[in-house]
Amino acid sequence: MSNTESGNDQGLGYYPWWLDKPADNVTGQGSFIDNGPIQGPEAVRAVVTAARGLYEFQDFAYTGDYGDNGFIEEYRTQVKGEPLHVVVTVARNAAGECEKLVVNHRPRNAMLLFSREMHREFAGTSLAEHFLADGS
């Protein structure tokens, strides 16, 4: 877990440590998620993996610890050519596992596009209800 310098492009090769250390009760929330948080390790991992698959790149400004039990990532990316600024916060439990994940995207119009793309990714599954359908 290290800090990165502003503008350091870790790219899509960056792999978040917390993705392999979820708590059994992990929840995922974010501005692009509707209808309550994503719950459970498998669902959270599926959503994060799908999201990363939609990113055209990741240009990190910062990754590192904050406080006693927190971790943060800040980066920019694009989805379908639309720029997104992303801030990820991770709250760790006493065992060091990711217990609460919050992912926020801005600007709003690009975040809404991203949510619709996530809905397409999960069409036909129970996770689709957590994202905006076309026309929403």
Side-chain angles (χ1 to χ4, degrees):
M1 292 180 243
S2 64
N3 297 341
T4 61
E5 296 297 320
S6 181
N8 182 6
D9 185 2
Q10 294 179 17
L12 293 173
Y14 171 78
Y15 188 83
W17 64 267
W18 46 263
L19 194 55
D20 288 336
K21 289 191 75 175
D24 290 338
N25 64 338
V26 65
T27 60
Q29 301 176 49
S31 53
F32 69 110
I33 296 173
D34 267 348
N35 300 320
I38 307 298
Q39 298 182 352
E42 289 179 22
V44 168
R45 186 176 293 111
V47 168
V48 170
T49 301
R52 293 182 76 218
L54 291 173
Y55 292 164
E56 295 170 17
F57 63 87
Q58 286 181 286
D59 184 8
F60 284 82
Y62 182 82
T63 63
D65 292 331
Y66 75 93
D68 293 335
N69 296 311
F71 184 80
I72 193 167
E73 300 172 352
E74 182 179 354
Y75 56 91
R76 66 180 189 84
T77 188
Q78 280 186 180
V79 173
K80 296 225 173 229
E82 293 294 323
L84 282 166
H85 181 92
V86 185
V87 177
V88 177
T89 57
V90 176
R92 292 186 290 252
N93 63 16
E97 300 166 324
C98 172
E99 189 169 62
K100 183 176 181 184
L101 176 68
V102 179
V103 183
N104 287 298
H105 298 81
R106 293 288 181 259
R108 185 175 181 271
N109 286 342
M111 177 274 297
L112 294 171
L113 167 70
F114 178 65
S115 187
R116 288 183 187 102
E117 290 300 315
M118 290 293 285
H119 186 272
R120 282 188 197 86
E121 288 289 313
F122 288 103
T125 73
S126 62
L127 286 173
E129 71 183 32
H130 289 282
F131 308 104
L132 296 175
D134 284 336
S136 298

